[in-house]
Every structure is written in C-alpha cells, then in structure tokens.
Amino acid sequence: MRRIAFAAGALVLALTSCGTSAEEAPGGAGGGSIDVVTRWTAGNSAAAAQKRVFDRFTAETGITINLTEGLEAIDDQVETAVAAGKSPDLVIVNLFDKTVGWLDAGVTVPVDQYVKDWGLEGKIKPEALNEWKAAGGIQGLPYSGFGWPLWYNTELLAKAGVAAPPKTTDELKDAAKKLRAAGIGPITVGGNDWTGQKLFYQIVQSFTDPATMQKVMREGGYCATPAVLKGIELFTDLRDAEVFVDNVAGLSADDMYASYYSGKAAIMSAGSWAYTESKAAGTGIETRTTLGGFPVPSGSTFTKPTAYQGFTGVGFMITKQGASPEKIDLVKQLVTRFYEDATVGDFVKDSSILPPTTGDFASYATDPLLKASLGLDGAVDYAVLPDVWIGSASDPITTVLAGAYGEATPQEICAGLDTATQG
C-alpha cells in the first residue's frame, strides 16, 4: 500500500455550518458538532437527500453539522486539512485514488468494531463490506452502490441503420462506421479523466482472468503479461477504428454527458448516479436510452458484454479526530441515521444508488433507468473495477491514458502504466 505524502502548506479547511446551531436547535442542549467533508455537493442528485438527513438530525439531537463541500480533488483537500491540524471528523467520499491509502497512512481508522457495535453487521451486505476491506481492516462504511453500464441511444442507432446495440467488437466497429456516416458521434467518454480510465480498463481486461488483472493493476506488469497486453492492443485497435468520438483524448466527463444528453453521440459509459441527472437535463434522453454492456471480442474471457457493478462509491470514512472519545458517539448517531430503511430508500429514489443494505427497495426505484439497471445481471458480465487495485496511482495512470486515447502505441501505453504503478 502506498504511503500518502500530505500536502504541505498552511491552507486551513474552512468549515461552514449546515442547519441551525446547537443553541438554536429545537430540544437541543448544546449537543456538540461534527465536522463533515462530503462528496455529495450542490447539484449532485444525492445532495438533497443528504441535506434532509442533516437537517432532521440537527433538529432532533441539537448536534450541529459543520459541512464542507468536497472539491474535485477531495482527497488532496482532506489531506491538506489534516496536515494543517484541521481534520474533519467524517469524510463522505468514494473509495478511490488516495483515499484507498488513508487507513494505511493513519488519516482514517478501521471501522470493523463499529460495524458490530453500531448494529450494522447484519444490515450492510457482506459483499459491500468486502470491497472496503484492506490489510488493516475495513476502511469505511459503504453506502452508494452503483451499476456502470453502457448507455445506447436507440433512436440514433436506428437513424444510422444499427438495428440493436452491438454485442461484439466487430459489430461495434461496423456500428461506428454507420454512425459516422450519418453524422453521429459513436462512443463519447472523458479520455482525459476518470471516465476514460474506467472504460480503458474495462476493454483491456477482455482476455484476462480477474486475479491476474487485479495483480497487474496493483503491482504492474502490463507489458510482461501477454493477456493484458493483448487487451491494450484491442483498445488501440478500437481507437484506430474510430469507435470513439473525435478528439476524445481532450474530453472530460462533463463533455461526455453533454454530448450524449444532447444527441451528438450515440453511446456512453456512465454510472447509475447519472440516471436522475439525465432526466434533469430536460432533453428526454432517458426515454431514448437502453442500457447494456461493452461489446466483447472473439476469444474473450467474458461470454457477454461487460459492465461494472460495485460498492466503492460514496461511503463514510472516520478520521482519527472523528474516532476520538469526544467525537465518536456523535459520529455514530449521525452515520447510523443513514442506514435506516427509509433513508436508504430516499437515496434510492433521489440518486439511484444500489442499496448497500439488506431489504427490498424496489418500490423506491421510480427512475426507469434504475429499474432497467437492476435487471441487467442476466445480460452482462461484470468486469473488475480498477479503483481499489490501482489506488493512489490513479492520477498518473489517467495521464498515461490521455495519451492512449490519442496516438500512443500499445508498447508506449503498457510501459507508461508500469511506470505510473511502480513509481
């Protein structure tokens, strides 16, 4: 596990209050406060559900939530705050990039005992907890499960003469030619950010078993592992066949969403968190979308098109400060509120999370894309999501992959990935 080098400097994390103060809270008697940094920021579909939990919690307990919205680089933001002696108590964040190393680095504490003591052991699905396990214990409490399929605009496919979403890479190449001939972009993705990174890994593991892929992502060996190098060659073959939109290497996630929602591109790879956002875009794209997987090549280890599914989305990570005797009971009171069935259902309804808890939440899944996503298991195979395995090498890997979406050769790509992983 990589050690994290905290950002130097004297930047102090500004904490702004959310809700009423402890003195003003109905029934409150100066209940204390909790400093929280959250990935669920204004504009995110989960922010409203989160605010309802915070507001109700403060009203009922008198405990103030001092809330800071997480930046795009929330991992660096929190590390800087810790280094400046201004650690939050609780971080609501994805298990990705540097956060994978926080437990090892002493930023956060293991939550194994809290799972038992807080009555969550029989509540949180074992597979969700497993994805948050590390050598030092469970790194945090998983909350936002997700599906990550391919989105296909069936109206644009039909316009280009493509009868159905392609299931093989040969069919994908043919579909891309027809879409381009009709003036429609094929696959849009952020070749310059995390969305492109995830799609690259989805393609590259086409000929590899999960254990080998996990080992390579964790330790390197991209060039020395024939099955992985074959997957990289598949990626460049698809790139050179122009299955991606023009200038994909310079695009971001925002560009991807904009081009798909507006009908400029026919296909994108996006997670279930975007289901409600797609409807909010107001273009009606959700009514023209069918969900599926990424087409597979001949000889693939997968028998069906691939997608991602997991529980490394947003969860609760408790810092050393939050685990202190004066804070931990307050943190417990807040965090356990999120795992109440009605609250989980509220997040399912508002932000299309896949519930991390046991129980039937189908009645909350009012979004049609979420309903479709919940039924994908028989139509796709699930690939290994790279986040936990590549850890803090994520940023340098993303830089390498911007070149991969450009003109880099398979050998240049694998060498760059080995350097990024081992450096």
Side-chain angles (χ1 to χ4, degrees), residues 148 189-191 193-199 252-253 256-257 269 405:
W148 200 327
V189 70
D193 68 10
W194 55 276
T195 55
Q197 181 204 87
K198 302 303 182 291
L199 185 57
S252 67
M256 175 187 76
Y257 293 129
S269 169
Y405 279 96

Side-chain angles (χ1 to χ4, degrees), residues 149-334:
L150 267 287
W151 301 40
Y152 293 93
N153 184 323
T154 51
E155 187 176 276
L156 293 183
L157 293 180
K159 181 179 179 181
V162 180
K167 288 185 168 53
T168 69
T169 50
D170 285 340
E171 290 177 1
L172 174 60
K173 291 178 185 178
D174 181 64
K177 288 179 182 178
K178 291 178 178 178
L179 287 164
R180 285 183 172 277
I184 302 166
I187 301 174
T188 180
V189 70
N192 198 32
D193 68 10
W194 55 276
T195 55
Q197 181 204 87
K198 302 303 182 291
L199 185 57
F200 172 86
Y201 276 104
Q202 191 171 340
I203 297 168
V204 164
Q205 60 187 284
S206 293
F207 304 103
T208 310
D209 65 275
T212 299
M213 194 70 231
Q214 291 164 2
K215 184 175 188 295
V216 170
M217 287 191 289
R218 184 177 61 248
E219 301 174 3
Y222 290 87
C223 291
T225 309
V228 175
L229 183 57
K230 186 178 180 181
I232 295 174
E233 291 168 346
L234 170 66
F235 173 84
T236 57
D237 177 59
L238 293 173
R239 176 199 69 192
D240 296 343
E242 298 186 318
V243 303
F244 304 117
V245 295
D246 294 342
N247 304 313
V248 66
L251 301 184
S252 67
D254 287 343
D255 297 322
M256 175 187 76
Y257 293 129
S259 59
Y260 184 80
Y261 293 164
S262 64
K264 294 179 181 178
I267 309 166
M268 76 168 176
S269 169
S272 50
W273 54 85
Y275 295 158
T276 51
E277 274 90 345
S278 67
K279 186 174 183 179
T283 65
I285 188 63
E286 76 281 1
T287 66
R288 300 187 292 276
T289 293
T290 188
L291 303 177
F294 192 91
V296 293
S298 175
S300 175
T301 53
F302 298 107
T303 60
K304 293 175 283 192
T306 62
Y308 288 128
Q309 185 181 71
F311 291 92
T312 56
V314 174
F316 303 98
M317 302 186 85
I318 301 170
T319 66
K320 281 192 171 181
Q321 173 63 31
S324 64
E326 63 270 19
K327 288 285 188 175
I328 190 60
D329 186 61
L330 305 183
V331 171
K332 170 191 174 181
Q333 291 182 60
L334 175 62

